[in-house]
């Protein structure tokens, strides 16, 4: 898996961001974490950092994860975005995929599933 990969985590919950960082750190060598607490910060940090992989919560202030996904994938066709949410309904899952998200993970993120996601999008293909 890519060493020093830049991982952007957009979630308004500090606890959720920490939990995701902890799970990712189990499977990656020296990940570089970029954190955003709302959708506006997600856009700004994506523009300046150009992360290798982005995890977004659906429910965030200032711009939700679906809208941020639409805007990012429009601007950056190579954006790799995974939605991570505890409120995942079938409609939201469909909306996330239609918006350009590559995957959807239910909170709290399970280690085995995160390992698969990381290998799929940051593996040595």
């Amino acid at each position: 898996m890519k060493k020093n990969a830049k991982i952007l985590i957009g979630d308004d919950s500090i606890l959720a961001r920490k939990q995701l960082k902890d799970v990712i750190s189990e499977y990656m060598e020296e990940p570089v974490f970029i954190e955003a607490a709302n959708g506006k910060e997600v856009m700004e940090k994506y523009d300046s950092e150009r992360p290798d992989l982005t995890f977004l919560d659906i429910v965030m202030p200032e711009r939700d994860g679906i809208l941020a996904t639409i805007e990012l994938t429009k601007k950056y066709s190579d954006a790799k975005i995974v939605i991570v949410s505890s409120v995942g309904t079938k409609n939201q899952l469909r909306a996330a995929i239609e918006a350009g998200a590559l995957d959807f993970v239910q909170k709290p993120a399970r280690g085995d599933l995160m390992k698969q996601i990381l290998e799929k999008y940051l593996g040595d293909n």
Side-chain angles (χ1 to χ4, degrees):
M1 216 173 310
K2 185 175 180 174
K3 186 178 175 179
N4 299 106
K6 287 185 182 182
I7 309 290
L8 173 59
I9 300 174
D11 197 309
D12 57 327
S13 165
I14 294 169
L15 186 63
R17 292 194 309 264
K18 183 188 180 318
Q19 189 267 341
L20 200 51
K21 288 191 309 186
D22 289 348
V23 173
I24 291 168
S25 294
E26 288 179 37
Y27 301 103
M28 289 191 69
E29 196 174 339
E30 301 175 35
V32 177
F33 291 110
I34 305 148
E35 295 184 57
N38 62 57
K40 185 175 182 251
E41 280 184 23
V42 165
M43 303 306 292
E44 292 165 357
K45 292 191 177 184
Y46 196 100
D47 286 339
S48 65
E49 299 289 337
R50 294 300 306 271
D52 298 297
L53 186 58
T54 301
F55 292 93
L56 297 180
D57 186 20
I58 290 178
V59 180
M60 289 188 291
E62 298 194 44
R63 188 179 277 115
D64 70 25
I66 304 288
L67 184 55
T69 299
I70 290 168
E71 292 178 18
L72 287 172
T73 55
K74 220 178 260 184
K75 192 170 184 180
Y76 303 102
S77 61
D78 61 340
K80 293 179 183 172
I81 300 170
V82 176
I83 297 292
V84 183
S85 184
S86 57
V87 296
T89 65
K90 284 185 180 180
N91 287 342
Q92 285 172 317
L93 172 58
R94 187 179 312 110
I97 300 302
E98 287 173 0
L102 300 174
D103 248 308
F104 187 95
V105 177
Q106 189 80 27
K107 284 183 191 175
R110 292 188 346 255
D112 58 332
L113 181 58
M114 287 305 297
K115 182 180 181 196
Q116 289 174 11
I117 296 270
L118 294 168
E119 287 174 349
K120 185 174 182 179
Y121 300 113
L122 297 174
D124 307 317
N125 323 8

